[in-house]
Amino acid sequence: MGVKMNSSVTEFILSGLTNQPELQIPLFFLFLGFYVVTVVGNLGLITLIGLNSHLHTPMYFFLFNLSFIDFCYSTVITPKMLMNFVLRKNVISYAGCMTQLFFFLFFVVSESFILSAMAYDRYAAICNPLVYTATMSPQVCFLLLLGVYVMGFAGAMAHTACMVRLTFCANNLVDHYMCDILPLLERSCTSTYVNELVVFVVVGIDIGVPTVTIFISYALILSSILRIHSTKGRSKAFSTCSSHIIAVSLFFGSGAFMYLKPSSLLPMNQGKVSSLFYTIVVPMLNPLIYSLRNKDVKIALKKTLSKKPFS
């Protein structure tokens, strides 16, 4: 394997979420349940949007991609995490670990930028409804989506390239349920100064830029909503945005809490708990938040379920 050049470690052992034996089986079923809900919710939403032509609008184009990203990144993490609860020793090869790190980062950064594309889309729909179709033309949507995945690739590439440079020594126990940046840096026996710098710069950009975009979009949306005179119109606009704000705060809040703090302040155990939010909870909640509070999705679901096969 080409990536193994300067590492004496050929595999890592993932310590998992907890080492208390009596919790392993209950936690296994809890997270298996979460994973099933995530897969069914996200694939369900992808299928619904694909099958219903009235959902082929910019908002649902982005929601389709959000569901795809959520499905992929929970699949990068959860199955390996579930093995922790049933195996005595959860081993991951060096190449497997770097691959998991890369794809986890690719999808997590893409998610942060697709959330900001969705906020911009809501801004265009609520603040400039008359020119909405021109503002969010198929070309614009495609370019925004391209930007999302390019940022995801750039972020993942930056971190993974810096990680492959490091040499890992005899102690290969990673204090986490996945190959994440900070727990891996703890295992390096070469200086991680560059890596920590990259974490601050790249994570700063990947959390900072989307947060600012989302914040500005919602501030403008809010001022525009307050100018709507009808109570019905106002509450409809509020309900569309409130679900989005819940998802965004959960995702960015837990992400910033994990990465943008001095590592000495927060022990890894609390870090593991906060990373549960953006790795397990958010991908599961997104389809629920965006679809249960949404009339179009409910109508599409009824229509799809009432279609008789072969009719």
Side-chain angles (χ1 to χ4, degrees):
M1 188 69 201
V3 280
K4 220 178 319 191
M5 287 182 316
N6 51 358
S7 180
S8 56
V9 165
T10 56
E11 59 183 30
F12 292 101
I13 299 161
L14 297 171
S15 76
L17 194 57
T18 175
N19 47 17
Q20 290 173 283
E22 69 279 9
L23 291 178
Q24 304 295 337
I25 296 302
L27 286 175
F28 173 80
F29 285 109
L30 177 70
F31 287 108
L32 181 63
F34 283 175
Y35 184 58
V36 169
V37 173
T38 306
V39 169
V40 171
N42 285 299
L43 290 185
L45 210 47
I46 286 173
T47 311
L48 266 188
I49 294 169
L51 290 179
N52 290 277
S53 53
H54 78 279
L55 295 182
H56 294 178
T57 62
M59 178 176 158
Y60 291 102
F61 171 72
F62 291 123
L63 191 50
F64 181 94
N65 279 280
L66 178 72
S67 285
F68 169 71
I69 290 168
D70 279 338
F71 166 72
C72 291
Y73 100 76
S74 68
T75 302
V76 167
I77 292 160
T78 316
K80 191 69 188 161
M81 178 192 182
L82 289 173
M83 289 164 69
N84 254 105
F85 298 121
V86 288
L87 296 177
R88 184 167 295 160
K89 198 163 98 169
N90 193 12
V91 175
I92 186 167
S93 71
Y94 178 83
C97 191
M98 294 304 142
T99 307
Q100 187 188 45
L101 178 73
F102 177 83
F103 283 106
F104 157 64
L105 291 168
F106 174 70
F107 290 118
V108 92
V109 175
S110 299
E111 167 128 357
S112 65
F113 281 96
I114 201 132
L115 287 171
S116 47
M118 290 168 83
Y120 174 70
D121 169 69
R122 291 299 78 212
Y123 157 74
I126 293 171
C127 299
N128 303 310
L130 299 177
V131 289
Y132 177 64
T133 42
T135 314
M136 298 303 285
S137 65
Q139 291 89 333
V140 171
C141 291
F142 176 74
L143 284 173
L144 279 172
L145 189 68
L146 188 66
V148 164
Y149 289 124
V150 164
M151 289 306 288
F153 182 77
M157 215 46 213
H159 288 302
T160 313
C162 287
M163 196 62 77
V164 174
R165 286 175 46 254
L166 298 178
T167 305
F168 296 98
C169 303
N171 183 355
N172 62 349
L173 181 70
V174 175
D175 186 15
H176 211 305
Y177 53 82
M178 62 173 185
C179 288
D180 196 357
I181 303 169
L182 303 177
L184 281 173
L185 293 185
E186 288 178 357
R187 287 289 149 258
S188 165
C189 34
T190 36
S191 164
T192 58
Y193 175 74
V194 175
N195 300 63
E196 285 167 38
L197 201 63
V198 169
V199 168
F200 267 102
V201 173
V202 177
V203 175
I205 293 169
D206 293 341
I207 290 183
V209 173
T211 309
V212 169
T213 311
I214 291 166
F215 199 72
I216 292 171
S217 298
Y218 281 114
L220 295 168
I221 288 170
L222 217 57
S223 69
S224 160
I225 289 175
L226 296 174
R227 286 199 298 271
I228 299 174
H229 294 300
S230 80
T231 337
K232 193 174 175 221
R234 200 181 281 188
S235 72
K236 185 172 184 263
F238 258 126
S239 88
T240 304
C241 297
S242 59
S243 55
H244 196 162
I245 290 171
I246 296 167
V248 164
S249 335
L250 248 179
F251 180 70
F252 287 110
S254 57
F257 184 69
M258 176 74 183
Y259 293 101
L260 297 178
K261 48 120 190 74
S263 49
S264 53
L265 287 184
L266 187 74
M268 207 59 231
N269 306 351
Q270 283 166 281
K272 280 194 246 186
V273 175
S274 77
S275 57
L276 281 177
F277 279 99
Y278 60 86
T279 56
I280 311 278
V281 178
V282 170
M284 176 180 73
L285 289 184
N286 276 348
L288 302 173
I289 287 173
Y290 287 102
S291 54
L292 292 180
R293 313 210 33 186
N294 190 314
K295 210 164 71 221
D296 297 333
V297 173
K298 287 177 188 165
I299 293 168
L301 186 60
K302 280 188 188 130
K303 260 176 59 178
T304 308
L305 292 177
S306 64
K307 277 180 192 164
K308 293 182 176 59
F310 312 116
S311 59

